[in-house]
Coordinates of all heavy atoms in Angstrom, one line a residue:
M1 N -13.8 -6.0 16.1 CA -14.3 -5.2 15.0 C -13.2 -5.1 13.9 O -12.1 -4.7 14.2 CB -14.8 -3.9 15.5 CG -15.8 -3.3 14.6 SD -16.9 -2.1 15.3 CE -15.8 -0.7 15.8
P2 N -13.6 -5.3 12.6 CA -12.5 -5.1 11.6 C -12.1 -3.7 11.5 O -12.9 -2.7 11.7 CB -13.3 -5.6 10.3 CG -14.7 -5.9 10.7 CD -14.9 -5.7 12.1
K3 N -10.8 -3.5 11.2 CA -10.3 -2.2 11.0 C -10.6 -1.7 9.6 O -10.7 -2.5 8.7 CB -8.8 -2.2 11.3 CG -8.4 -2.5 12.7 CD -6.9 -2.5 12.9 CE -6.6 -3.0 14.3 NZ -5.3 -3.8 14.2
R4 N -10.6 -0.4 9.5 CA -10.9 0.2 8.2 C -9.8 0.1 7.2 O -8.6 0.2 7.5 CB -11.3 1.7 8.4 CG -12.8 2.0 8.2 CD -13.1 3.4 8.1 NE -12.6 4.2 9.3 CZ -12.5 5.5 9.3 NH1 -12.8 6.2 8.2 NH2 -12.2 6.1 10.4
L5 N -10.2 0.0 5.9 CA -9.2 0.0 4.8 C -8.6 1.5 4.8 O -9.3 2.4 4.8 CB -9.9 -0.3 3.5 CG -9.1 -0.5 2.3 CD1 -8.4 -1.9 2.4 CD2 -9.9 -0.4 1.0
Q6 N -7.3 1.5 4.6 CA -6.6 2.8 4.5 C -6.3 3.0 3.0 O -5.9 2.1 2.3 CB -5.3 2.8 5.3 CG -5.6 2.5 6.8 CD -4.3 2.3 7.6 OE1 -3.2 2.5 7.1 NE2 -4.4 1.7 8.8
V7 N -6.4 4.3 2.6 CA -6.2 4.6 1.2 C -5.2 5.8 1.1 O -5.4 6.8 1.8 CB -7.5 5.1 0.5 CG1 -7.3 5.4 -0.9 CG2 -8.6 4.0 0.6
Y8 N -4.2 5.6 0.3 CA -3.1 6.6 0.1 C -3.0 6.9 -1.3 O -2.7 6.0 -2.1 CB -1.8 6.1 0.7 CG -1.9 5.8 2.2 CD1 -2.3 4.5 2.6 CD2 -1.7 6.7 3.2 CE1 -2.3 4.1 3.9 CE2 -1.8 6.4 4.5 CZ -2.1 5.1 4.9 OH -2.3 4.8 6.2
E9 N -3.2 8.2 -1.7 CA -3.2 8.5 -3.2 C -2.2 9.5 -3.6 O -1.9 10.4 -2.9 CB -4.6 9.0 -3.5 CG -5.7 8.0 -3.5 CD -7.0 8.7 -3.9 OE1 -7.6 9.3 -3.0 OE2 -7.4 8.5 -5.1
T10 N -1.7 9.3 -4.8 CA -1.0 10.4 -5.5 C -1.7 10.4 -6.9 O -2.5 9.5 -7.2 CB 0.5 10.1 -5.7 OG1 0.7 9.1 -6.7 CG2 1.2 9.7 -4.4
P11 N -1.4 11.4 -7.7 CA -2.0 11.4 -9.1 C -1.6 10.1 -9.9 O -2.3 9.7 -10.8 CB -1.5 12.7 -9.7 CG -1.1 13.6 -8.5 CD -0.7 12.6 -7.5
E12 N -0.5 9.5 -9.5 CA 0.0 8.4 -10.3 C -0.4 7.1 -9.8 O -0.4 6.0 -10.5 CB 1.6 8.4 -10.4 CG 2.1 9.4 -11.4 CD 2.3 10.7 -10.8 OE1 2.9 10.8 -9.7 OE2 2.0 11.8 -11.4
I13 N -0.7 7.0 -8.5 CA -1.0 5.6 -7.9 C -1.8 5.8 -6.7 O -1.7 6.8 -6.0 CB 0.4 4.9 -7.6 CG1 0.1 3.4 -7.3 CG2 1.2 5.6 -6.5 CD1 1.4 2.6 -7.3
T14 N -2.7 4.8 -6.5 CA -3.5 4.7 -5.3 C -3.1 3.4 -4.6 O -3.1 2.3 -5.2 CB -5.0 4.7 -5.6 OG1 -5.3 5.9 -6.3 CG2 -5.8 4.5 -4.3
V15 N -2.6 3.5 -3.3 CA -2.3 2.4 -2.6 C -3.3 2.2 -1.5 O -3.7 3.1 -0.8 CB -0.9 2.5 -1.9 CG1 -0.5 1.4 -1.0 CG2 0.2 2.7 -3.0
T16 N -3.8 0.9 -1.3 CA -4.7 0.6 -0.2 C -4.0 -0.4 0.7 O -3.3 -1.2 0.3 CB -6.1 0.1 -0.7 OG1 -5.8 -1.1 -1.5 CG2 -6.8 1.1 -1.6
F17 N -4.4 -0.3 2.0 CA -3.8 -1.1 3.0 C -5.0 -1.7 3.9 O -5.7 -0.9 4.4 CB -2.8 -0.4 3.8 CG -2.3 -1.2 5.0 CD1 -1.6 -2.3 4.9 CD2 -2.7 -0.8 6.3 CE1 -1.2 -3.1 5.9 CE2 -2.3 -1.5 7.4 CZ -1.5 -2.7 7.2
D18 N -5.0 -3.0 3.9 CA -6.1 -3.6 4.8 C -5.4 -4.1 6.0 O -4.7 -5.2 6.0 CB -6.7 -4.7 4.0 CG -7.9 -5.3 4.8 OD1 -8.0 -5.1 6.0 OD2 -8.8 -6.0 4.2
P19 N -5.5 -3.4 7.2 CA -4.8 -3.9 8.4 C -5.3 -5.2 8.9 O -4.6 -5.8 9.7 CB -5.1 -2.7 9.4 CG -6.2 -1.9 8.8 CD -6.3 -2.2 7.4
N20 N -6.4 -5.7 8.5 CA -7.0 -6.9 8.9 C -6.2 -8.1 8.3 O -6.3 -9.2 8.8 CB -8.4 -7.0 8.6 CG -9.2 -5.9 9.2 OD1 -9.3 -5.7 10.4 ND2 -9.7 -5.0 8.3
V21 N -5.5 -7.8 7.2 CA -4.9 -8.9 6.4 C -3.4 -8.9 6.7 O -2.7 -9.9 6.5 CB -5.2 -8.7 4.9 CG1 -4.5 -9.6 4.0 CG2 -6.8 -8.8 4.7
C22 N -2.8 -7.8 7.0 CA -1.4 -7.7 7.2 C -0.8 -8.7 8.1 O -1.3 -8.9 9.2 CB -1.0 -6.2 7.7 SG 0.7 -6.0 8.0
R23 N 0.3 -9.3 7.7 CA 1.0 -10.3 8.6 C 2.2 -9.7 9.3 O 3.0 -10.4 9.9 CB 1.5 -11.5 7.7 CG 0.4 -12.3 7.2 CD 0.9 -13.7 6.7 NE 0.1 -14.2 5.7 CZ 0.5 -14.6 4.5 NH1 1.8 -14.6 4.2 NH2 -0.3 -15.2 3.7
H24 N 2.4 -8.4 9.2 CA 3.5 -7.7 9.9 C 4.9 -8.4 9.6 O 5.7 -8.5 10.4 CB 3.2 -7.7 11.4 CG 1.9 -7.1 11.7 ND1 1.6 -5.8 11.6 CD2 0.7 -7.7 12.0 CE1 0.4 -5.5 11.9 NE2 -0.2 -6.7 12.1
S25 N 5.0 -8.8 8.3 CA 6.3 -9.4 8.0 C 7.4 -8.3 7.8 O 8.5 -8.7 7.8 CB 6.1 -10.2 6.6 OG 5.6 -9.3 5.6
G26 N 7.0 -7.1 7.6 CA 7.9 -6.0 7.4 C 8.6 -5.9 6.1 O 9.5 -5.1 5.9
I27 N 8.1 -6.7 5.1 CA 8.8 -6.7 3.8 C 8.7 -5.3 3.2 O 9.6 -4.8 2.6 CB 8.1 -7.8 2.9 CG1 8.6 -9.2 3.4 CG2 8.5 -7.6 1.4 CD1 7.9 -10.3 2.8
C28 N 7.5 -4.7 3.3 CA 7.3 -3.4 2.7 C 8.2 -2.4 3.3 O 8.9 -1.6 2.6 CB 5.9 -3.0 2.8 SG 5.2 -3.0 4.5
V29 N 8.4 -2.4 4.6 CA 9.2 -1.4 5.4 C 10.7 -1.6 5.0 O 11.4 -0.6 4.8 CB 9.0 -1.6 6.9 CG1 9.9 -0.7 7.7 CG2 7.5 -1.4 7.2
R30 N 11.1 -2.8 4.9 CA 12.5 -3.0 4.6 C 12.8 -2.7 3.1 O 13.9 -2.3 2.8 CB 12.9 -4.5 4.9 CG 13.1 -4.8 6.3 CD 13.9 -6.1 6.6 NE 13.1 -7.2 6.1 CZ 12.1 -7.8 6.8 NH1 11.9 -7.4 8.1 NH2 11.5 -8.8 6.4
G31 N 11.8 -3.0 2.3 CA 12.0 -2.8 0.8 C 12.0 -1.4 0.4 O 12.8 -1.0 -0.6
L32 N 11.2 -0.6 1.0 CA 11.1 0.8 0.5 C 10.8 1.7 1.7 O 9.6 2.2 1.9 CB 9.9 0.9 -0.5 CG 10.0 2.0 -1.6 CD1 11.3 2.0 -2.3 CD2 8.9 1.8 -2.6
P33 N 11.8 1.9 2.6 CA 11.5 2.6 3.9 C 11.1 4.0 3.7 O 10.4 4.6 4.6 CB 12.9 2.5 4.6 CG 13.9 2.1 3.6 CD 13.1 1.4 2.5
A34 N 11.4 4.7 2.6 CA 10.9 6.1 2.5 C 9.4 6.1 2.3 O 8.8 7.1 2.7 CB 11.6 6.7 1.2
V35 N 8.8 5.1 1.8 CA 7.4 5.1 1.5 C 6.7 4.4 2.7 O 5.6 4.9 3.1 CB 7.1 4.3 0.2 CG1 5.6 4.2 0.0 CG2 7.7 5.1 -1.0
F36 N 7.2 3.3 3.1 CA 6.5 2.5 4.2 C 7.3 2.6 5.5 O 8.4 2.2 5.6 CB 6.4 1.0 3.8 CG 5.7 0.8 2.5 CD1 6.4 0.6 1.3 CD2 4.4 0.8 2.4 CE1 5.8 0.4 0.1 CE2 3.7 0.6 1.3 CZ 4.4 0.4 0.1
D37 N 6.7 3.3 6.5 CA 7.3 3.5 7.8 C 6.2 3.5 8.9 O 5.4 4.4 9.0 CB 8.1 4.8 7.8 CG 8.9 4.9 9.1 OD1 8.6 4.2 10.1 OD2 9.8 5.8 9.1
V38 N 6.2 2.4 9.6 CA 5.1 2.2 10.5 C 5.2 3.1 11.7 O 4.2 3.2 12.5 CB 5.0 0.7 11.0 CG1 4.5 -0.2 9.9 CG2 6.3 0.3 11.6
R39 N 6.3 3.8 11.9 CA 6.4 4.8 13.0 C 5.6 6.0 12.8 O 5.4 6.8 13.7 CB 7.8 5.1 13.3 CG 8.6 3.9 13.8 CD 10.1 4.2 13.8 NE 10.5 4.4 12.5 CZ 11.8 4.6 12.2 NH1 12.8 4.6 13.1 NH2 12.2 4.9 10.9
R40 N 5.2 6.2 11.5 CA 4.4 7.5 11.2 C 3.0 7.2 11.2 O 2.5 6.1 10.9 CB 4.8 7.9 9.8 CG 6.2 8.4 9.6 CD 6.4 9.0 8.2 NE 5.9 8.1 7.2 CZ 6.7 7.6 6.2 NH1 8.0 7.9 6.2 NH2 6.2 6.8 5.3
R41 N 2.2 8.2 11.5 CA 0.8 8.1 11.5 C 0.3 7.8 10.1 O -0.5 6.9 9.8 CB 0.1 9.4 12.0 CG -1.3 9.3 12.3 CD -1.7 10.6 13.0 NE -3.2 10.7 13.1 CZ -3.9 10.0 13.9 NH1 -3.4 9.2 14.8 NH2 -5.2 10.1 13.9
D42 N 0.8 8.6 9.1 CA 0.5 8.3 7.7 C 1.6 7.4 7.2 O 2.5 7.8 6.6 CB 0.4 9.6 6.8 CG 1.7 10.4 6.9 OD1 2.4 10.3 7.9 OD2 2.0 11.1 5.9
W43 N 1.5 6.1 7.5 CA 2.7 5.2 7.4 C 3.0 4.9 6.0 O 4.1 4.4 5.7 CB 2.5 4.0 8.3 CG 1.7 2.9 7.7 CD1 0.3 2.9 7.7 CD2 2.1 1.7 7.0 NE1 -0.1 1.7 7.1 CE2 1.0 1.0 6.7 CE3 3.4 1.2 6.7 CZ2 1.0 -0.2 6.0 CZ3 3.4 0.0 6.0 CH2 2.3 -0.7 5.7
V44 N 2.1 5.1 5.0 CA 2.3 4.9 3.6 C 2.4 6.3 2.9 O 1.5 7.1 3.0 CB 1.3 4.1 2.9 CG1 1.6 3.8 1.5 CG2 1.1 2.7 3.7
R45 N 3.6 6.6 2.3 CA 3.7 7.8 1.6 C 4.1 7.5 0.1 O 5.3 7.5 -0.2 CB 4.8 8.7 2.2 CG 4.5 9.2 3.6 CD 5.5 10.1 4.1 NE 5.1 10.7 5.4 CZ 5.8 11.4 6.2 NH1 7.1 11.5 5.9 NH2 5.3 11.8 7.3
P46 N 3.1 7.3 -0.7 CA 3.4 6.8 -2.1 C 4.1 7.9 -2.9 O 4.7 7.5 -3.9 CB 2.0 6.5 -2.6 CG 1.0 7.2 -1.7 CD 1.6 7.3 -0.4
Y47 N 4.1 9.1 -2.5 CA 4.7 10.2 -3.2 C 6.2 10.2 -3.0 O 7.0 11.0 -3.6 CB 4.1 11.6 -2.9 CG 4.0 11.8 -1.4 CD1 5.0 12.3 -0.7 CD2 2.7 11.6 -0.8 CE1 4.9 12.5 0.7 CE2 2.6 11.8 0.6 CZ 3.6 12.2 1.3 OH 3.5 12.4 2.7
A48 N 6.7 9.4 -2.0 CA 8.1 9.4 -1.7 C 9.0 8.5 -2.6 O 10.2 8.5 -2.4 CB 8.3 8.9 -0.2
A49 N 8.4 7.9 -3.6 CA 9.1 7.2 -4.6 C 8.3 7.2 -5.9 O 7.2 7.7 -5.9 CB 9.4 5.7 -4.1
S50 N 8.9 6.7 -6.9 CA 8.2 6.7 -8.2 C 7.0 5.7 -8.1 O 7.1 4.7 -7.3 CB 9.1 6.3 -9.4 OG 9.4 4.9 -9.3
A51 N 6.0 5.9 -8.9 CA 4.8 5.0 -8.8 C 5.2 3.6 -9.2 O 4.7 2.6 -8.6 CB 3.7 5.5 -9.8
E52 N 6.2 3.5 -10.1 CA 6.6 2.1 -10.4 C 7.3 1.4 -9.3 O 7.1 0.2 -9.0 CB 7.6 2.2 -11.6 CG 7.0 2.4 -13.0 CD 6.5 3.9 -13.1 OE1 7.0 4.8 -12.4 OE2 5.5 4.1 -13.8
E53 N 8.1 2.2 -8.5 CA 8.8 1.6 -7.4 C 7.8 1.2 -6.3 O 7.9 0.1 -5.7 CB 9.8 2.6 -6.7 CG 11.0 2.8 -7.5 CD 11.9 3.9 -6.9 OE1 11.5 5.0 -6.9 OE2 13.0 3.5 -6.4
V54 N 6.8 2.0 -6.1 CA 5.7 1.7 -5.1 C 5.0 0.5 -5.5 O 4.7 -0.4 -4.7 CB 4.8 2.9 -4.9 CG1 3.6 2.6 -4.0 CG2 5.6 4.1 -4.4
A55 N 4.6 0.4 -6.8 CA 3.8 -0.7 -7.3 C 4.6 -2.0 -7.2 O 4.1 -3.0 -6.8 CB 3.5 -0.5 -8.8
A56 N 5.9 -1.9 -7.5 CA 6.8 -3.1 -7.4 C 6.8 -3.7 -6.0 O 6.8 -4.8 -5.7 CB 8.2 -2.8 -7.9
Q57 N 6.9 -2.7 -5.0 CA 7.0 -3.1 -3.6 C 5.6 -3.7 -3.1 O 5.6 -4.6 -2.4 CB 7.4 -1.9 -2.8 CG 7.8 -2.3 -1.3 CD 8.9 -3.3 -1.3 OE1 10.0 -3.2 -1.9 NE2 8.7 -4.4 -0.5
V58 N 4.6 -3.0 -3.5 CA 3.2 -3.5 -3.2 C 3.0 -5.0 -3.7 O 2.5 -5.8 -2.9 CB 2.2 -2.6 -3.7 CG1 0.8 -3.2 -3.7 CG2 2.2 -1.3 -3.0
R59 N 3.6 -5.3 -4.8 CA 3.4 -6.6 -5.4 C 4.2 -7.7 -4.5 O 3.9 -8.9 -4.6 CB 3.9 -6.7 -6.8 CG 2.9 -6.0 -7.8 CD 3.2 -6.4 -9.2 NE 4.5 -6.0 -9.7 CZ 4.7 -4.8 -10.3 NH1 3.7 -4.0 -10.5 NH2 5.9 -4.4 -10.7
R60 N 5.1 -7.2 -3.7 CA 5.9 -8.2 -2.9 C 5.2 -8.4 -1.6 O 5.7 -9.3 -0.8 CB 7.3 -7.6 -2.6 CG 8.1 -7.6 -3.9 CD 9.6 -7.2 -3.6 NE 10.3 -6.9 -4.8 CZ 10.6 -5.6 -5.2 NH1 10.4 -4.6 -4.4 NH2 11.2 -5.4 -6.4
C61 N 4.2 -7.7 -1.3 CA 3.4 -7.9 0.0 C 2.9 -9.4 0.0 O 2.1 -9.7 -0.9 CB 2.3 -6.9 0.1 SG 1.2 -7.3 1.5
P62 N 3.3 -10.2 0.9 CA 2.9 -11.6 0.9 C 1.4 -11.9 1.2 O 0.9 -12.9 0.9 CB 3.8 -12.3 1.9 CG 4.2 -11.2 2.8 CD 4.2 -9.9 2.0
S63 N 0.8 -11.0 1.9 CA -0.5 -11.2 2.4 C -1.6 -10.7 1.6 O -2.8 -11.1 1.7 CB -0.7 -10.6 3.8 OG -0.6 -9.2 3.7
G64 N -1.2 -9.7 0.7 CA -2.3 -9.0 -0.1 C -2.9 -7.9 0.7 O -3.8 -7.3 0.2
A65 N -2.3 -7.5 1.8 CA -2.8 -6.4 2.6 C -2.6 -5.1 1.8 O -3.5 -4.2 1.8 CB -2.1 -6.3 3.9
L66 N -1.5 -5.0 1.1 CA -1.3 -3.8 0.2 C -1.8 -4.1 -1.2 O -1.5 -5.2 -1.7 CB 0.2 -3.5 0.2 CG 0.8 -2.9 1.4 CD1 2.4 -2.9 1.3 CD2 0.3 -1.5 1.7
Q67 N -2.5 -3.2 -1.8 CA -2.9 -3.3 -3.2 C -2.7 -1.9 -3.8 O -2.6 -0.9 -3.1 CB -4.4 -3.6 -3.2 CG -4.8 -4.9 -2.5 CD -4.6 -6.2 -3.3 OE1 -4.5 -6.1 -4.5 NE2 -4.4 -7.2 -2.6
Y68 N -2.6 -1.9 -5.1 CA -2.5 -0.6 -5.8 C -3.3 -0.6 -7.0 O -3.6 -1.6 -7.6 CB -1.0 -0.3 -6.1 CG -0.4 -1.1 -7.2 CD1 -0.5 -0.6 -8.5 CD2 0.1 -2.3 -7.0 CE1 0.0 -1.3 -9.5 CE2 0.7 -3.0 -8.0 CZ 0.6 -2.6 -9.3 OH 1.1 -3.3 -10.3
R69 N -3.6 0.6 -7.4 CA -4.3 0.9 -8.7 C -3.6 2.1 -9.3 O -3.2 3.0 -8.7 CB -5.7 1.2 -8.6 CG -6.6 0.0 -8.2 CD -7.7 -0.3 -9.2 NE -8.3 0.9 -9.9 CZ -9.4 1.4 -9.5 NH1 -10.1 1.0 -8.4 NH2 -9.9 2.5 -10.2
M70 N -3.4 2.0 -10.6 CA -2.9 3.2 -11.4 C -4.0 3.7 -12.3 O -4.8 2.9 -12.8 CB -1.7 2.8 -12.1 CG -0.5 2.6 -11.2 SD 0.9 1.9 -12.2 CE 2.3 2.4 -11.1
P71 N -3.9 5.0 -12.5 CA -4.9 5.6 -13.5 C -4.8 4.9 -14.8 O -3.7 4.6 -15.3 CB -4.6 7.1 -13.6 CG -3.6 7.3 -12.5 CD -3.0 6.1 -12.1
G72 N -5.9 4.5 -15.4 CA -5.9 3.8 -16.7 C -6.0 2.3 -16.5 O -6.1 1.6 -17.5
D73 N -5.7 1.8 -15.3 CA -5.9 0.4 -15.1 C -7.4 0.0 -15.3 O -8.2 0.8 -14.9 CB -5.6 0.0 -13.6 CG -4.1 -0.2 -13.4 OD1 -3.3 0.0 -14.4 OD2 -3.7 -0.4 -12.2
P74 N -7.7 -1.1 -15.8 CA -9.0 -1.5 -15.9 C -9.7 -1.7 -14.5 O -9.0 -2.0 -13.6 CB -9.0 -2.9 -16.7 CG -7.6 -3.3 -16.6 CD -6.7 -2.1 -16.3
E75 N -10.9 -1.4 -14.4 CA -11.6 -1.6 -13.2 C -11.6 -3.1 -12.9 O -11.6 -3.9 -13.8 CB -13.1 -1.2 -13.3 CG -13.3 0.3 -13.5 CD -12.9 1.1 -12.2 OE1 -13.2 0.6 -11.1 OE2 -12.3 2.2 -12.3
P76 N -11.6 -3.5 -11.6 CA -11.7 -4.9 -11.3 C -12.8 -5.6 -12.0 O -13.9 -5.0 -12.0 CB -11.8 -4.9 -9.7 CG -11.4 -3.6 -9.3 CD -11.6 -2.6 -10.4
A77 N -12.6 -6.7 -12.5 CA -13.7 -7.4 -13.3 C -14.9 -7.6 -12.4 O -14.8 -8.0 -11.2 CB -13.2 -8.7 -13.8
S78 N -16.1 -7.4 -12.9 CA -17.3 -7.7 -12.1 C -17.7 -9.1 -12.3 O -17.3 -9.8 -13.2 CB -18.4 -6.7 -12.6 OG -18.6 -6.8 -14.0
E79 N -18.6 -9.5 -11.4 CA -19.1 -10.9 -11.4 C -19.8 -11.2 -12.7 O -20.4 -10.3 -13.3 CB -20.1 -11.1 -10.3 CG -19.6 -10.8 -8.9 CD -18.7 -12.0 -8.4 OE1 -19.2 -13.1 -8.5 OE2 -17.6 -11.8 -7.9
G80 N -19.7 -12.4 -13.1 CA -20.5 -12.9 -14.3 C -19.6 -12.8 -15.5 O -19.7 -12.8 -16.6
Ligands
SF4_101 S1 4.6 -6.4 3.3 FE1 2.3 -6.6 3.5 S2 2.1 -8.2 5.1 FE2 4.2 -7.4 5.2 S3 4.1 -5.7 6.7 FE3 3.9 -4.9 4.7 S4 1.7 -4.7 4.4 FE4 2.0 -6.1 6.1

């Protein structure tokens, strides 16, 4: 059964994590350990760094398991 998408929000950034896609490369944990720590139940703490730092680290996720949105970002383009 697919695991549920996890959502972690601050007023500045929303981070989503899809456990079905994660390759467990550990890049996020090594890159920004204050935010990403798999030993915690709430393993993503986007408020533990600036939104820019969190976004930069999310972009390094090789699998696309981590995604982010910031307020004011355009909504994902719809079909057509
Ligand atoms: S960087 Fe992405 S693929 Fe690697 S452990 Fe983190 S979430 Fe999973």
Side-chain angles (χ1 to χ4, degrees):
M1 201 155 67
K3 294 183 190 143
R4 250 195 300 168
L5 188 76
Q6 299 169 18
V7 182
Y8 302 90
E9 285 182 282
T10 74
E12 280 91 42
I13 190 166
T14 299
V15 177
T16 58
F17 171 68
D18 186 343
N20 306 292
V21 174
C22 178
R23 291 198 205 127
H24 307 284
S25 57
I27 288 171
C28 53
V29 175
R30 283 196 296 275
L32 209 51
V35 174
F36 301 98
D37 185 344
V38 289
R39 291 168 301 184
R40 296 187 308 242
R41 192 173 166 80
D42 60 331
W43 80 278
V44 182
R45 291 184 175 169
Y47 48 82
S50 73
E52 285 72 27
E53 285 176 295
V54 174
Q57 190 60 50
V58 166
R59 286 196 296 269
R60 291 187 196 108
C61 172
S63 68
L66 287 169
Q67 304 278 336
Y68 73 92
R69 287 241 324 262
M70 286 173 159
D73 278 358
E75 293 291 321
S78 55
E79 299 283 312

